[in-house]
Amino acid sequence: SYYLTQPPSMSVSPGQTASITCSGDNLDDEYVCWYRQEPGQSPVLVIFQDIKRPSGIPERISGSKSGNTATLTISGAQAVDEADYYCQAWGVTTVFFGGGTKLTVL
Amino acid sequence: QVTLKESGPMLVKPTETLTLTCTVSGFSLTNARMGVSWIRQPPGKALEWLANIFANDDNSYSTSLRNRLTVSKDTSKSQVVLTMTNLDPADTATYFCARIQNWGPYNWLDPWGQGTLVTVSS
């Protein structure tokens, strides 16, 4: 089986930077997406193709990847950023999600 | 505006078969650069991918659930149907469908439907 590993939780102070990591053995060969999910809501795409932002996602949210680790960076964290964040990778015929990271802004 | 909406039973008994429908609007299921994915989320737990289907009817399934899942589409109705056999209480979850967007080697899920909660209980 192929797993994507994320820290279960993370906290950040308002205005500071949060970096959420996602590690996987094959990640250097896969493209990574990130999704934000607020309580009771559907996930929303925030990063695709490792680094690209969909329209409507602010520039302070960015993605990067080095080797087998992808990182979602939220700069100038705000209360609205408090949510669960999931990384996702596409295999040849399958899709993998990380276990999710609960980001708390306090 | 692209939307997806899941529909199906809220309560299913153990061993029964679940049939969920995803009705899409704002894009065509015949678009070669698009498909539909099914994902589920047990209460308080992480997202779990279930299946994909593309315009050319290519499909793929979660390795662990492959033997229980079937995905199909009816382009005339703009609907994608997921069936899951032999339901168990562990299958209790919110089931989402999402549009797959494809560009060359790249895929992403956007947008997602609102999800439908399915409870498996006798």
Side-chain angles (χ1 to χ4, degrees), chain B residues 23 97 99 119 122:
Chain B
T23 302
C97 59
R99 180 179 66 168
T119 301
S122 54

Side-chain angles (χ1 to χ4, degrees), chain A residues 1 31-33 35 37 40-45 47-49 52 54 84 86 88 90-100, chain B residues 37 39 41 45-49 52 54 59-63 66 96 100-101 103 105-115:
Chain A
S1 298
Y31 295 102
V32 176
C33 299
Y35 302 88
Q37 186 180 33
Q41 302 297 312
S42 305
V44 173
L45 178 73
I47 293 289
F48 64 105
Q49 288 180 223
K52 294 189 175 182
D84 293 329
Y86 292 91
Q88 180 224 347
W90 295 81
V92 175
T93 59
T94 55
V95 176
F96 306 96
F97 283 98
Chain B
S37 190
I39 305 100
Q41 185 173 37
K45 296 189 177 180
L47 301 170
E48 178 185 17
W49 173 72
N52 290 340
F54 289 90
N59 56 47
S60 54
Y61 298 98
S62 161
T63 300
R66 177 184 306 276
F96 298 97
I100 304 170
Q101 290 200 76
W103 189 262
Y106 312 113
N107 296 296
W108 57 96
L109 299 176
D110 181 54
W112 294 53
Q114 65 188 22

Side-chain angles (χ1 to χ4, degrees), chain A residues 3 13-14 19 27-29 40 46 48-49 51 53-54 57 59-60 63 68 71 77 84 87-88 98:
Chain A
Y3 297 101
S13 299
S19 295
L27 219 51
D28 54 346
D29 289 332
V46 295
F48 64 105
Q49 288 180 223
I51 61 172
R53 273 186 308 275
I57 301 301
E59 291 185 6
R60 59 190 186 80
N68 289 328
T71 302
D84 293 329
C87 62
Q88 180 224 347

